[in-house]
Amino acid sequence: MQIQAETQLATVMRQRMQATDADINAIKKLASEQQKLGVVGDEVQLAGAQQIATFLTQRRSIETLLPAMNDLLVQQKGLKATGNDAVAVANLMGKAMQGQTSALKRVGITFSEAQAKVMQYGTESERSAMLAQIITDNVGHMNAEVAKTDVGKLKQQANALGDVKEGWGAVAMSVQPYVAFASQLTTMTTGVIRLVDGTNLLIKRLIPASVAFKANEIAANAASAAATKYGWSAR
C-alpha cells in the first residue's frame, strides 16, 4: 500500500505541478512527521495527498492542507481511518478548493461569509490557507490531541511497527531478483553435478568391459601369430 500511494502521489504531482523529486520527497517527509505527532499512518495520508493534489497546482498547497486533512479525517473516522477514507476527505476538501463550500456544511463544518468569499475568489494559496483555518476552527488539532490518549499512543506504536514491516518488505523486494537468480544458479549447478556424476559412473561401468574385450582380442591375436610361426594347427 505504501509503494502504491507513493507512486500515485509522484505521478499526480508531476502531472499537475511539474514537481521534482525534491517536491515529492517533501510531501513524503511531511506525512512521516505528521504520523509521529498524530495517529494517521503516513500511507493513509499519502493516499489522501495524491487525491487532493488532483485539485491543486502548487506543492505548498498540499503542505498547507495535509495537516488539516488529518485533523478532519480523525474527527470523521477516528483511529480506524483508511486510505479510502482519506481519499473521501481529500475529495471533500478539493471541492471546497473549487468554491463548492456547501460540501463542507454537509459534514458539519461552518464558516463565515467572508471566509466563503475567499474560498470562491482567492488565489490557490489564499484558498488553501483559508480552508486549513476553517477546518482548524471547527475540529481543532484533532490528530495531535487523539495521539495523547492511551489508545492514541497504541495507534502510534502500531504505525511505527507498520513502517518497520514496510521497510523489510522493500528490502525483500529489492533483493528478490538476486534470490531468484541464486536459486536458478543452484538448480543449474546441481544439474551439472548430477550429469558429471552420471557420466563418471557410466565410464566406470564401461571401461572394465572394454578393457576385457581388448585383452581377449590381444590374446587371440597373439595365439594366432604363434600358431603361424611354429606351424601349429587348431585341433
Side-chain angles (χ1 to χ4, degrees):
M1 182 176 177
Q2 180 88 14
I3 295 176
Q4 178 181 332
E6 290 180 358
T7 301
Q8 290 174 325
L9 175 68
T11 301
V12 172
M13 287 185 67
R14 289 194 176 101
Q15 182 67 29
R16 293 283 298 168
M17 308 170 183
Q18 289 74 53
T20 64
D21 288 344
D23 292 325
I24 296 163
N25 288 333
I27 301 304
K28 290 161 61 175
K29 181 180 179 182
L30 176 60
S32 179
E33 292 170 349
Q34 283 282 302
Q35 176 178 284
K36 292 176 182 177
L37 69 84
V39 295
V40 184
D42 56 353
E43 73 283 357
V44 173
Q45 296 179 57
L46 293 177
Q50 66 84 23
Q51 183 62 25
I52 202 167
T54 63
F55 297 92
L56 307 172
T57 61
Q58 302 171 18
R59 163 192 141 188
R60 294 293 182 187
S61 299
I62 303 177
E63 292 175 324
T64 300
L65 292 172
L66 187 62
M69 183 195 75
N70 291 336
D71 289 331
L72 185 56
L73 183 60
V74 175
Q75 188 270 333
Q76 293 284 319
K77 298 296 180 179
L79 299 174
K80 297 182 179 180
T82 66
N84 289 335
D85 295 328
V87 169
V89 169
N91 277 326
L92 174 70
M93 295 173 67
K95 290 178 181 179
M97 285 294 294
Q98 293 180 331
Q100 302 176 38
T101 54
S102 59
L104 292 173
K105 292 182 178 179
R106 286 197 293 270
V107 295
I109 303 298
T110 60
F111 44 88
S112 67
E113 289 186 12
Q115 290 174 319
K117 287 183 179 180
V118 173
M119 293 305 301
Q120 290 178 328
Y121 305 113
T123 65
E124 180 173 299
S125 295
E126 291 170 342
R127 283 180 282 127
S128 59
M130 181 55 69
L131 179 56
Q133 185 61 53
I134 289 172
I135 292 173
T136 301
D137 288 344
N138 280 267
V139 303
H141 298 295
M142 186 70 70
N143 188 32
E145 290 302 316
V146 172
K148 296 176 183 178
T149 66
D150 290 340
V151 290
K153 292 175 182 178
L154 290 174
K155 179 61 174 177
Q156 285 187 311
Q157 293 175 2
N159 287 337
L161 180 60
D163 281 350
V164 173
K165 291 180 179 179
E166 288 162 3
W168 279 112
V171 170
M173 289 185 66
S174 67
V175 302
Q176 187 174 7
Y178 302 100
V179 173
F181 174 75
S183 177
Q184 292 174 356
L185 184 60
T186 300
T187 301
M188 183 172 63
T189 302
T190 301
V192 171
I193 292 173
R194 288 177 178 173
L195 177 61
V196 171
D197 288 344
T199 302
N200 288 336
L201 179 61
L202 181 61
I203 290 173
K204 289 178 181 179
R205 290 180 176 177
L206 290 178
I207 284 179
S210 61
V211 168
F213 178 80
K214 192 66 177 178
N216 289 334
E217 183 181 7
I218 293 172
N221 291 338
S224 177
T228 302
K229 181 176 180 179
Y230 298 106
W232 299 341
S233 59
R235 296 184 183 277

